[in-house]
């Protein structure tokens, strides 16, 4: 079984590898950070699940000790804000904005006489 992996250069000069995530990876990240009130704990645990640095697997504590720029680079790649957007591709059709509406529509239930300011 082969995994989709992308190799990226980290700002520190190290080599990062990120694999495409699955739902089970998110579940493991939530379990690994259970009870931790820090909002970023799930993101850091997910980095540990999906990334390798210089060929080595990571644990949550490794991510805590990494250079900030490396952490942010890995997070961006995993969360899909990198160039590839591999984990979170937007496949939905673009939403079209309605045309020809010059004024906001008024609810049929409201009328100027019902307004409390006109009493």
């Amino acid at each position: 079984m082969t995994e989709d992996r992308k190799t990226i250069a980290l700002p520190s000069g190290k080599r990062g590898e990120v694999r495409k995530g699955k739902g089970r990876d998110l579940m493991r990240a939530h379990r690994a950070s259970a009870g931790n009130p820090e909002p970023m704990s799930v993101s850091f645990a997910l980095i540990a699940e999906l990334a390798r640095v210089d060929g080595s697997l990571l644990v949550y504590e490794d991510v805590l000790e990494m250079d900030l720029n490396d952490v942010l680079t890995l997070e961006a790649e995993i969360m899909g804000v990198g160039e590839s957007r591999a984990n979170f591709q937007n496949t939905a059709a673009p939403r079209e904005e309605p045309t020809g509406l010059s004024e906001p529509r008024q609810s049929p239930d409201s009328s100027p006489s019902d307004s409390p300011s006109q009493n």
Side-chain angles (χ1 to χ4, degrees):
M1 180 165 128
T2 61
E3 295 179 73
D4 289 331
R5 288 198 175 272
K6 181 177 182 186
T7 301
I8 57 174
L10 298 175
S12 66
K14 296 179 180 179
R15 182 179 52 93
E17 292 178 45
V18 177
R19 70 175 170 83
K20 187 173 181 178
K22 305 236 182 233
R24 66 176 162 260
D25 298 311
L26 184 57
M27 290 292 287
R28 283 189 203 123
H30 274 279
R31 275 192 220 118
S33 62
N36 188 337
E38 174 57 46
M40 292 298 297
S41 63
V42 173
S43 292
F44 281 26
L46 193 56
I47 291 170
E49 284 290 325
L50 299 176
R52 292 181 185 181
V53 174
D54 287 340
S56 298
L57 296 173
L58 301 172
V59 295
Y60 180 83
E61 291 77 13
D62 294 332
V63 180
L64 293 175
E65 296 301 320
M66 288 174 66
D67 290 343
L68 178 60
N69 286 332
D70 286 356
V71 173
L72 294 174
T73 301
L74 289 170
E75 181 184 40
E77 188 63 38
I78 288 169
M79 297 304 174
V81 296
E83 291 177 18
S84 71
R85 303 185 83 95
N87 277 315
F88 298 98
Q89 294 178 351
N90 184 4
T91 57
R95 182 177 165 187
E96 293 183 25
E97 293 295 320
T99 57
L101 298 177
S102 58
E103 295 181 24
R105 297 187 322 188
Q106 190 172 16
S107 170
D109 294 339
S110 64
S111 68
S113 62
D114 293 340
S115 174
S117 62
Q118 293 190 7
N119 287 339

